[in-house]
Amino acid sequence: MTDRIMNFLRDTRPEGPCLVVDLEVVRENYIRFAKAMPDSRIFYAVKANPAPEILSLLAGLGSNFDCASVQEIDMALAAGATPDRISFGNTIKKERDVAAAHARGVTMYAVDCEAEVDKIARSAPGARVYCRILCDGDGAEWALSRKFGCEPAMAIDVLDHAHRSGLVAYGVSFHVGSQQKNPRAWDQALASSAEIFRTLSYRGIELKMVNLGGGFATRYLEDIPEEGEYGHEINESIRAHFGNRIPETIIEPGRGMVGNAGVIKTEVILVSQKAQDDIRWVYLDIGKFNGLAETMDEAIRYPITSSRGGDATPCILAGPTCDSVDVMYEKKPYPLPVSLEIGDELFIGGTGAYTTTYSAIAFNGFPPLASYVI
Amino acid sequence: MTDRIMNFLRDTRPEGPCLVVDLEVVRENYIRFAKAMPDSRIFYAVKANPAPEILSLLAGLGSNFDCASVQEIDMALAAGATPDRISFGNTIKKERDVAAAHARGVTMYAVDCEAEVDKIARSAPGARVYCRILCDGDGAEWALSRKFGCEPAMAIDVLDHAHRSGLVAYGVSFHVGSQQKNPRAWDQALASSAEIFRTLSYRGIELKMVNLGGGFATRYLEDIPEEGEYGHEINESIRAHFGNRIPETIIEPGRGMVGNAGVIKTEVILVSQKAQDDIRWVYLDIGKFNGLAETMDEAIRYPITSSRGGDATPCILAGPTCDSVDVMYEKKPYPLPVSLEIGDELFIGGTGAYTTTYSAIAFNGFPPLASYVI
């Protein structure tokens, strides 16, 4: 909670639950990433929070943009990014969306199979493609499935196919898992990447780039490594695996860029028990369907503060909808002040990323999460 | 898939994923419920699908409405329902929302604790309240948590408190779990309800109503009981537990009213493998974040058809976003035609309920699920 956010909430007193993002924190995050990894270009993952004010700030600071859809490409362009600063990073694209991106001047695309290469060869001829490889997400709070990427052995064929299809076989990407707290997690994927570079080089195809993805943790409840530590470990791994043929690198921070810049203000609607002497249930005006989707399986545990002091007691924390799955913390109840009352405000930190856009359009008739960027 | 939906999709060819709801099926469902449970009033659970055309049809047929928020109350009123046909069925309400409902003439409210009774006594004086009791959801595909309701012993105190606060202690409600396939699931909750009626009657408080909730299954992949069977079993239980003092009953079908009336049209964006001879991944332009939220934990398995014939092979089915959890069926892969190709259309049945409103407002830049009611 920054002073700017506190002052905004005090002066504006917005009705209903809302996210407030402090652009000064986003600016500091950008500068920290740039310092920690001076040899990498930064591609902000727009999906984390596409608020126009955030995109404009980052465009002005020199950021590039990782976009998941044509709509996100248009948002990045509207914020002042030029097409050469945009990567269409979704490996799952309709061919007409590839054509739309191509028409807007976008020249870099993610792939993870030959069928996707074929779409790009037809609809964005001459483009650069990078192939995403599978990577195990050990150490991440939000481990990735096998949804994106292929086995490294197959990536060689995919990039070879791209080359033979008239595209620029440009590099390799991977993602070590969101909210990754182990800086050494990048090492194994970098070893696989270097092997792909070498194999294709024997075939006369010189890859140029490694996309290190995202996964840079924001601060929730537990201490996380500083950006400088990520940079150090990653550079060590790159030198170890690539020797003196250091590739271009890019990073795609999303949560790490905006997560700690945002605070959600919420109101306690009800405090109750199911039976005498039973655990307390605390119901908020925000839940899984209007901003806190990432509490799914209690994966992410946000820091929550209130103006109440005194002893705390474990509570089950739930959202306002008539949906029984709209419960944030139940398996591991959340300690909240005993003195907490209906009508109190709570502040949920670390919520600048993956909250507003996940919000349901009208579930139970409730509006999506309001957002203020200051 | 009804002929009307098929003709609509053939003639209109809407771009992008969309839900099409056939009002004729909704009408038939309403009539079936009314016939199966002629002694119960029907309160349609608006949250299942609040499309204005659906609400207007049901209002015209004589339905009442179970609303989760003031916004849903306004939608029901706009559709032609009078306030006496509306129940504010969410046990978690801001007091200012209770006041707003009261101002609109709504006189029936759900509660499950004394603090909620206090809000209603202050802001909707004289209203009728019913207390929700906990009920184990065995037999439901989407088992309910303990989020709503209190232990039956506490419900007696809550209703007594309502009576002493100047409210009308009106009845008891419970919910046997969504998509409940065991018609006998209502029996135990009815036994608890009858016990609450008797205990309060000794204290001079005469409850009048049992709200049997929802849970009436729609047809997904497995056979489910017909509405008539539900009615028969429930009536048997009511007679067994209430003897000759049969209470008023209401039911709150949501999924059972609209689920089988809707079909989602989606397009195959990509078919790929992660390695040679590996299982096929099929990526659609719809996923967990733009309509299929209820595939969470693979809880609901929708019937999916395509125009392709021939052999089928198990596939992992995933959505279009850059989110690794956006995978619908993976633990239990889904059989789809071997001949399936990029660009093919698929039709996902049983999707009239809990799809459009769960849709994220803009995740990855993708728009919420489009909806056509015909």
Side-chain angles (χ1 to χ4, degrees):
Chain A
M1 170 77 90
T2 66
D3 287 347
R4 297 182 74 230
I5 293 177
M6 209 175 339
N7 294 341
F8 173 82
L9 286 172
R10 191 195 52 216
D11 299 343
T12 315
R13 304 209 61 73
E15 160 66 18
C18 65
L19 169 70
V20 187
V21 174
D22 185 342
L23 284 177
E24 288 306 315
V25 179
V26 178
R27 181 194 305 274
E28 287 162 21
N29 287 339
Y30 182 86
I31 292 167
R32 278 219 305 269
F33 272 117
K35 273 190 190 160
M37 306 198 60
D39 302 323
S40 296
R41 291 170 75 202
I42 297 172
F43 282 68
Y44 172 61
V46 174
K47 60 183 174 289
N49 191 327
E53 301 90 337
I54 294 173
L55 301 184
S56 295
L57 171 75
L58 291 172
L61 289 168
S63 186
N64 305 279
F65 297 90
D66 166 45
C67 296
S69 63
V70 175
Q71 290 88 340
E72 286 193 354
I73 291 170
D74 284 338
M75 293 181 220
L77 292 171
T82 44
D84 58 303
R85 288 161 63 189
I86 291 172
S87 163
F88 199 164
N90 194 339
T91 54
I92 310 152
K93 299 175 288 299
K94 288 183 180 173
E95 187 164 335
R96 52 192 185 274
D97 289 341
V98 172
H102 178 67
R104 286 158 174 76
V106 174
T107 62
M108 190 156 75
Y109 298 83
V111 298
D112 67 359
C113 66
E114 296 191 8
E116 195 73 12
V117 167
D118 291 337
K119 294 180 199 170
I120 295 167
R122 283 189 298 262
S123 295
R128 296 168 292 165
V129 298
Y130 56 88
C131 185
R132 181 154 168 178
I133 57 172
L134 285 164
C135 168
D136 97 27
D138 280 1
E141 280 195 13
W142 193 274
L144 299 178
S145 70
R146 289 169 58 88
K147 181 175 177 187
F148 309 104
C150 60
E151 292 293 343
M154 184 176 261
I156 292 165
D157 296 336
V158 169
L159 288 164
D160 196 332
H161 182 66
H163 177 76
R164 284 181 285 106
S165 304
L167 297 170
V168 180
Y170 196 63
V172 173
S173 79
F174 52 82
H175 199 295
V176 294
S178 196
Q179 184 74 354
Q180 174 60 260
K181 288 178 294 185
N182 175 14
R184 294 200 57 79
W186 278 261
D187 186 69
Q188 197 195 330
L190 282 165
S192 300
S193 303
E195 180 66 31
I196 295 168
F197 271 62
R198 276 192 295 275
T199 305
L200 285 170
S201 180
Y202 297 144
R203 300 189 193 175
I205 301 169
E206 300 296 341
L207 301 183
K208 295 207 168 48
M209 180 194 75
V210 175
N211 177 345
L212 301 164
F216 308 97
T218 188
R219 191 172 298 280
Y220 294 106
L221 281 179
E222 299 177 59
D223 280 343
I224 49 132
E226 296 294 321
E227 286 82 352
E229 195 179 336
Y230 285 118
H232 175 73
E233 294 281 352
I234 290 170
N235 279 333
E236 292 278 297
S237 290
I238 290 175
R239 271 197 293 273
H241 300 299
F242 286 87
N244 59 359
R245 304 185 65 174
I246 303 292
E248 294 171 25
T249 53
I250 70 174
I251 58 174
E252 297 174 333
R255 193 186 305 280
M257 190 73 83
V258 294
N260 69 341
V263 172
I264 282 174
K265 185 270 292 182
T266 177
E267 176 181 335
V268 175
I269 304 184
L270 185 62
V271 180
S272 68
Q273 290 168 299
K274 302 296 171 185
Q276 298 293 343
D277 304 322
D278 206 8
I279 189 168
R280 293 203 306 171
W281 283 68
V282 174
Y283 300 91
L284 307 179
D285 63 1
I286 189 164
K288 275 201 164 67
F289 298 107
N290 58 340
L292 301 181
E294 291 209 313
T295 58
M296 201 189 305
D297 300 325
E298 308 192 13
I300 285 183
R301 207 163 167 86
Y302 295 106
I304 302 176
T305 55
S306 87
S307 56
R308 298 272 176 189
D311 289 346
T313 182
C315 299
I316 298 175
L317 206 62
T321 66
C322 282
D323 194 308
S324 58
V325 305
D326 187 11
V327 177
M328 283 79 83
Y329 302 119
E330 180 174 16
K331 281 177 279 180
K332 195 176 164 191
Y334 204 101
L336 290 171
V338 175
S339 56
L340 198 69
E341 283 184 12
I342 293 171
D344 282 358
E345 283 183 346
L346 293 178
F347 304 98
I348 309 178
T351 44
Y354 299 113
T355 48
T356 49
T357 51
Y358 268 122
S359 207
I361 185 164
F363 190 55
N364 275 221
F366 294 118
L369 183 61
S371 164
Y372 302 91
V373 180
I374 61 172
Chain B
M1 172 75 92
T2 66
D3 287 347
R4 295 183 73 230
I5 293 177
M6 208 175 340
N7 293 341
F8 172 82
L9 286 171
R10 190 194 54 216
D11 298 342
T12 315
R13 304 209 60 73
E15 160 66 20
C18 65
L19 168 70
V20 187
V21 174
D22 185 342
L23 284 177
E24 288 307 313
V25 179
V26 179
R27 181 193 306 274
E28 287 162 18
N29 288 339
Y30 182 86
I31 292 167
R32 279 220 304 268
F33 273 117
K35 273 190 190 159
M37 305 196 61
D39 302 323
S40 297
R41 291 171 74 201
I42 296 172
F43 281 69
Y44 172 61
V46 174
K47 59 184 175 289
N49 191 327
E53 301 90 337
I54 294 172
L55 301 184
S56 295
L57 170 75
L58 291 173
L61 289 169
S63 186
N64 307 278
F65 296 90
D66 166 45
C67 296
S69 63
V70 175
Q71 289 88 340
E72 287 192 355
I73 290 170
D74 284 338
M75 293 181 219
L77 292 171
T82 43
D84 58 303
R85 286 161 64 188
I86 290 173
S87 164
F88 198 163
N90 193 339
T91 55
I92 309 153
K93 300 174 288 298
K94 289 183 180 172
E95 187 164 335
R96 53 191 183 275
D97 288 343
V98 173
H102 178 68
R104 286 159 173 76
V106 174
T107 63
M108 192 157 73
Y109 298 82
V111 297
D112 66 0
C113 66
E114 295 192 7
E116 196 73 12
V117 168
D118 292 338
K119 293 180 199 169
I120 295 166
R122 282 190 299 263
S123 295
R128 295 169 292 164
V129 298
Y130 57 90
C131 186
R132 180 151 168 183
I133 57 173
L134 286 164
C135 169
D136 97 26
D138 281 3
E141 281 195 13
W142 192 274
L144 299 178
S145 69
R146 288 169 60 87
K147 181 175 177 188
F148 309 103
C150 60
E151 293 292 343
M154 185 177 261
I156 291 166
D157 296 336
V158 169
L159 288 164
D160 197 331
H161 182 66
H163 178 75
R164 285 180 286 106
S165 305
L167 297 170
V168 179
Y170 196 64
V172 172
S173 79
F174 53 81
H175 198 296
V176 295
S178 197
Q179 184 74 353
Q180 174 59 260
K181 289 178 293 185
N182 175 14
R184 293 201 56 78
W186 278 261
D187 186 68
Q188 198 196 331
L190 283 165
S192 300
S193 302
E195 180 65 31
I196 295 168
F197 271 61
R198 275 193 295 275
T199 306
L200 285 169
S201 180
Y202 296 144
R203 300 188 192 176
I205 302 168
E206 301 296 341
L207 301 182
K208 297 209 168 48
M209 179 194 78
V210 175
N211 177 344
L212 301 165
F216 308 96
T218 189
R219 193 170 300 279
Y220 294 106
L221 280 178
E222 299 176 59
D223 278 343
I224 49 132
E226 296 294 320
E227 286 82 353
E229 195 179 334
Y230 284 117
H232 175 73
E233 293 281 351
I234 290 169
N235 279 332
E236 293 277 298
S237 290
I238 291 175
R239 271 197 292 273
H241 300 298
F242 286 87
N244 58 2
R245 304 184 65 173
I246 302 293
E248 294 172 25
T249 53
I250 70 174
I251 58 173
E252 298 174 332
R255 193 186 305 280
M257 190 73 83
V258 294
N260 70 340
V263 172
I264 283 174
K265 184 270 291 180
T266 177
E267 175 181 335
V268 175
I269 304 183
L270 185 63
V271 180
S272 68
Q273 289 169 301
K274 302 295 169 184
Q276 299 293 346
D277 303 323
D278 206 9
I279 188 167
R280 292 203 307 170
W281 283 69
V282 173
Y283 299 91
L284 307 179
D285 63 1
I286 189 164
K288 275 201 163 64
F289 299 105
N290 60 341
L292 301 181
E294 292 209 314
T295 58
M296 202 189 306
D297 301 325
E298 309 193 12
I300 285 183
R301 208 164 166 85
Y302 295 106
I304 302 176
T305 54
S306 87
S307 56
R308 298 270 176 190
D311 288 346
T313 181
C315 299
I316 299 175
L317 206 62
T321 66
C322 283
D323 194 308
S324 58
V325 305
D326 187 12
V327 178
M328 282 79 82
Y329 301 118
E330 181 174 16
K331 282 176 282 182
K332 195 176 165 191
Y334 205 102
L336 289 171
V338 175
S339 55
L340 198 68
E341 282 185 14
I342 293 171
D344 281 0
E345 283 184 345
L346 294 179
F347 304 97
I348 309 178
T351 44
Y354 300 112
T355 48
T356 49
T357 52
Y358 268 123
S359 206
I361 183 162
F363 191 55
N364 275 224
F366 294 118
L369 182 61
S371 165
Y372 302 91
V373 180
I374 59 172

